[in-house]
Amino acid sequence: QVQLVESGGGLVRPGGSLRLSCEASGIVFNIVTMWWYCQAPGKQRELVAHISSGGTTNYADSVKGRFTISRDNAKNTVYLQMNSLKPEDTAVYYCNTKWWSSDYWGQGTQVTVSS
């Protein structure tokens, strides 16, 4: 049974930082690509960043230079370091992976950027 469990969200002021974590189970973590998505109220879910099994990373233009995705294969965990946060980063953040042609999502973690 595949499970993805996010943590680390919260309320932060503009310019602040948060680190999100997503721990995976039920998969061979070190061979999968991991994605982070976000969904703001009233908007579609959109891609934030992803990291391949080999460590290659890609980012949405809106977060380049501010967010960093990384992974720790020994802990089956992917991270999203979020710096210089803006109010427009407010959203529920989800991690995602694909395993045996199926899509798996975590439950999401709320990030709110507000003064």
Side-chain angles (χ1 to χ4, degrees):
Q1 177 182 354
V2 178
Q3 280 194 313
L4 301 175
V5 180
E6 299 102 334
S7 61
L11 173 64
V12 64
R13 293 188 176 183
S17 298
L18 284 173
R19 188 176 82 154
L20 308 183
S21 301
C22 171
E23 184 174 0
S25 59
I27 60 175
V28 180
F29 183 80
N30 63 348
I31 67 171
V32 298
T33 294
M34 298 295 297
W35 283 264
W36 282 102
Y37 286 79
C38 69
Q39 187 167 19
K43 294 188 176 181
Q44 288 189 329
R45 195 169 295 189
E46 57 186 34
L47 179 64
V48 176
H50 69 270
I51 183 166
S52 73
S53 58
T56 300
T57 59
N58 276 286
Y59 298 91
D61 287 343
S62 59
V63 306
K64 280 180 182 175
R66 300 189 298 123
F67 291 9
T68 302
I69 188 171
S70 62
R71 63 191 298 157
D72 184 338
N73 290 338
K75 295 182 178 180
N76 285 6
T77 300
V78 62
Y79 302 98
L80 187 68
Q81 178 67 45
M82 309 165 70
N83 297 330
S84 303
L85 282 160
K86 304 175 181 180
E88 51 263 44
D89 295 319
T90 295
V92 179
Y93 285 73
Y94 299 90
C95 65
N96 166 271
T97 195
K98 295 162 179 55
W99 183 247
W100 284 97
S101 300
S102 294
D103 240 348
Y104 293 92
W105 297 88
Q107 82 286 355
T109 186
Q110 175 71 47
V111 171
T112 303
V113 185
S114 175
S115 54

